[in-house]
Amino acid sequence: MTEIGSIVQHLLQFSPDSLLVVDQQGIIRYANDTANALFGYTPQQLVGQSLELLIPDRFRLRHGAHVAGFLHAPSNREMGARIADLYARRADGTEFPAGIRLAPLDNDQGRFIAVAVRDMTERRAISDALVAAREEADRANRAKSRFLATASHDLRQPLHAVRLLNASLLTLTRDNPQLHELLERQEYAIDGATRLLNALLDISRLESGAIDPQLTPVRVAGIFADLAREFEPSAASKRLDLRFADTPVVLMTDRMLFTQLLQNLIGNALKYTERGYVKVSQALEGDFVVLKVEDSGIGIPPDKLDRIFDEYYQVDPRGGQRAGVGLGLAIVREVSRLLGYTVSVDSKPGEGTRVRVSVPRQKLMSDSPVAAGEPRPGAAAAAARHSRIVLLEDNPSVRIATELFLQLEGYEVHSAASAAEAEPLLAKMEPADVLITDYRLDGAVTGLEVLQQVRARQGREVPAILLSGDLESMMRVIKSPPSRCRFLSKPVDTKALIEVITELGPH
Ligand code: ADP
């Protein structure tokens, strides 16, 4: 044998992998030393035996099929789709997880199969530990999301009451400027807490995977118009030029999620811009519809750009503009993930920021029926306050706070703690009266069902306002909102509440 030949021979004998050569009948024709050691046989014991000797009984049938399949289409390949599937048997009957590679080996005596076997016990243990760690992390993350969702939901009721009480106190202290100013500051703080709660509830709901996007054709111009109305007051208060471009685009999207995504981007653009403009536009670029939110604000340092989508991350948490908690862009990230969009940001510190949301063109609807715009309170009619209010609210402190607030606003309020208690009040409702009810009530019925019952009994569209601590989930349950019925979220915006009562009341 040549010198190289003997080196190869040596390498083969002591290769780190166990090597076997098997003929077409599955008889072992060669086994290297590593194979003998791994399986616990002497060389004489293995050669001449069927390969089945090394395979646990329960795999034998499958193994036969494997060998037949391999001989039919020989190629260099890993055996079995997942390593978790494969086991080999030692001479003493014990088993070990095995990684097995097969390769065809042709010579003048015919076709053979080279088999390389590796003991995967350690690798399997590592991969099992990784899977367990990953599951544990996912479990912890889900528990965190559930905790956040429950905590923020439960905080809504008391905050809702505080908001109403503060609005009442503001009315009562009009003649006392000092006290009034203090309460205005308090209102500002309550607004901040409300924003935080909303963001926490949004992100935990998105992350928990509980949201299933409801796709309908949505006219982007309609969303732009709603957003313009929503953000114009804050743009005006900072003397910023807020512009929305015209757009003919109709997207197949989830109206609420899509709106939420743009709300967060526009809110940020306004928050981090002191002078100049915020522009919202759309362009068709190749296979994408690109929505752009651009501002002339403080910008983001380049080394921070890849962190801003992280939860609770803020570039300058002590900054003067600080009004958020670092969840806005995490919400944008989650919504984009759900809708299949990609978001990119480019920014120059001191000059401004441009965020691009790319929507794949196949999500574009060009000639679809256009979805009706979201119900909106019309221009608030002059306060026509002869309506009476029937208030159905099961939480006593919220009920008392709402009653007080509405009475101070000049309404006659009749309240009830349960659907049964509300019956006689509902029966006496006049056409000008408005029902305000919590969506989720103690007991079996929802506020919506109470409304449907009273409408059926009276044979008319009794006007109503439904309040909910989780407006988004409620709107997902209610596929087609009834007419002359408005939905508001808790903690309620007291001005919006009065606007909606005015709109629903007598004209
Ligand atoms: P926050 O609640 O602090 O606004 P976000 O998650 O919305 O949190 O944004 C994360 C950080 O990214 C912000 O704290 C801010 O520093 C930065 N940022 C986001 N949008 C802009 C923007 N348009 N201009 C400048 N900085 C921005």
Side-chain angles (χ1 to χ4, degrees):
M1 192 180 286
T2 61
E3 202 177 325
I4 287 292
S6 96
I7 293 174
V8 171
Q9 181 72 20
H10 194 79
L11 197 69
L12 215 57
Q13 275 303 357
F14 300 105
S15 130
D17 278 338
S18 305
L19 299 173
L20 303 160
V21 175
V22 179
D23 66 18
Q24 296 202 40
Q25 282 67 48
I27 304 299
I28 300 170
R29 305 286 290 267
Y30 169 81
N32 70 354
D33 276 12
T34 324
N36 294 321
L38 176 64
F39 288 99
Y41 290 99
T42 61
Q44 295 75 18
Q45 283 176 311
L46 275 182
V47 173
Q49 294 291 329
S50 164
L51 186 63
E52 302 209 325
L53 187 67
L54 309 179
I55 299 165
D57 291 346
R58 63 184 187 284
F59 294 124
R60 287 216 176 132
L61 258 179
R62 236 172 67 190
H63 173 255
H66 260 304
V67 173
F70 181 81
L71 288 170
H72 183 67
S75 67
N76 203 326
R77 70 167 100 142
E78 194 87 31
M79 212 173 128
R82 289 171 296 140
I83 56 162
D85 277 332
L86 296 174
Y87 281 85
R89 187 173 64 176
R90 298 190 188 91
D92 63 6
T94 56
E95 292 180 11
F96 63 90
I100 301 175
R101 277 203 78 82
L102 304 177
L105 207 63
D106 292 324
N107 70 7
D108 48 9
Q109 292 172 43
R111 165 154 297 166
F112 295 89
I113 308 168
V115 185
V117 186
R118 196 170 271 189
D119 183 349
M120 304 294 276
T121 309
E122 227 169 87
R123 279 244 315 255
R124 182 78 60 79
I126 294 171
S127 107
D128 286 354
L130 278 176
V131 169
R134 169 82 210 242
E135 276 170 6
E136 182 54 38
D138 284 350
R139 240 195 321 275
N141 198 32
R142 279 196 301 274
K144 178 210 73 180
S145 297
R146 262 198 316 277
F147 165 75
L148 278 179
T150 314
S152 45
H153 188 264
D154 290 354
L155 279 169
R156 280 174 174 249
Q157 275 305 53
L159 193 60
H160 178 64
V162 169
R163 220 171 172 190
L164 288 161
L165 289 170
N166 203 64
S168 303
L169 286 170
L170 274 166
T171 309
L172 288 171
T173 54
R174 272 198 203 110
D175 301 335
N176 185 336
Q178 249 178 331
L179 208 51
H180 198 73
E181 197 194 317
L182 280 179
L183 287 164
E184 272 174 352
R185 280 171 197 266
Q186 180 156 292
E187 185 175 55
Y188 187 71
I190 296 170
D191 284 351
T194 306
R195 271 198 304 274
L196 170 58
L197 264 192
N198 287 338
L200 282 173
L201 196 65
D202 286 344
I203 192 75
S204 52
R205 209 189 302 108
L206 285 163
E207 284 192 340
S208 69
I211 291 187
D212 189 13
Q214 306 289 315
L215 304 183
T216 56
V218 174
R219 207 164 50 84
V220 176
I223 303 283
F224 279 8
D226 288 349
L227 292 167
R229 269 192 293 269
E230 180 179 340
F231 286 103
E232 252 150 24
S234 50
S237 73
K238 291 179 86 177
R239 296 172 187 278
L240 294 175
D241 179 13
L242 173 62
R243 267 175 279 162
F244 286 84
D246 288 338
T247 162
V249 163
V250 178
L251 290 175
M252 260 328 258
T253 190
D254 182 298
R255 167 179 286 275
M256 269 187 281
L257 292 175
F258 183 72
T259 306
Q260 201 176 9
L261 183 143
L262 288 176
Q263 272 169 335
N264 279 293
L265 294 178
I266 299 168
N268 275 351
L270 290 170
K271 199 158 53 170
Y272 299 106
T273 303
E274 290 312 310
R275 254 185 308 277
Y277 62 84
V278 170
K279 276 194 296 193
V280 185
S281 59
Q282 156 270 308
L284 292 177
E285 291 180 15
D287 288 337
F288 294 94
V289 181
V290 180
L291 295 147
K292 295 183 216 166
V293 179
E294 294 163 83
D295 66 58
S296 58
I298 60 170
I300 303 164
D303 61 322
K304 304 289 193 318
L305 276 178
D306 57 349
R307 305 251 357 240
I308 54 174
F309 288 92
D310 293 351
E311 279 160 46
Y312 310 109
Y313 182 80
Q314 300 187 295
V315 173
D316 179 10
R318 298 161 319 251
Q321 296 86 347
R322 189 176 174 230
V325 281
L327 284 174
L329 290 181
I331 292 171
V332 167
R333 179 196 71 204
E334 286 301 305
V335 170
S336 310
R337 187 181 56 78
L338 267 178
L339 295 178
Y341 303 169
T342 44
V343 184
S344 63
V345 183
D346 56 282
S347 182
K348 283 214 179 75
E351 287 184 27
T353 301
R354 185 174 59 175
V355 184
R356 294 160 51 88
V357 181
S358 302
V359 181
R361 218 168 165 152
Q362 64 264 32
K363 299 189 195 274
L364 178 70
M365 301 264 314
S366 39
D367 39 29
S368 56
V370 168
E374 195 116 313
R376 279 229 137 241
R385 302 201 171 155
H386 0 274
S387 1
R388 288 181 310 176
I389 308 281
V390 174
L391 172 67
L392 175 49
E393 168 63 66
D394 50 16
N395 181 303
S397 40
V398 173
R399 193 171 58 249
I400 291 165
T402 317
E403 257 174 44
L404 179 63
F405 168 72
L406 291 172
Q407 279 162 356
L408 285 168
E409 288 291 323
Y411 294 98
E412 184 183 330
V413 185
H414 300 268
S415 56
S418 66
E421 210 182 299
E423 285 272 311
L425 302 174
L426 294 169
K428 280 191 279 183
M429 277 182 86
E430 301 279 332
D433 300 349
V434 176
L435 167 67
I436 299 182
T437 171
D438 199 11
Y439 176 69
R440 213 186 282 178
L441 297 166
D442 277 347
V445 288
T446 64
L448 183 63
E449 284 159 346
V450 171
L451 174 66
Q452 282 158 343
Q453 284 161 11
V454 61
R455 283 186 170 186
R457 270 201 298 272
Q458 301 204 6
R460 66 183 182 93
E461 287 187 338
V462 173
I465 297 170
L466 266 94
L467 291 165
S468 169
D470 190 352
L471 191 64
E472 205 169 300
S473 302
M474 178 182 77
M475 296 309 280
R476 283 175 193 283
V477 176
I478 303 168
K479 294 279 184 253
S480 50
S483 55
R484 294 204 80 199
C485 176
R486 297 283 178 261
F487 300 89
L488 292 176
S489 110
K490 281 179 172 182
V492 75
D493 174 341
T494 45
K495 291 190 193 74
L497 179 62
I498 296 303
E499 257 181 46
V500 174
I501 298 174
T502 313
E503 185 208 343
L504 289 171
H507 291 282

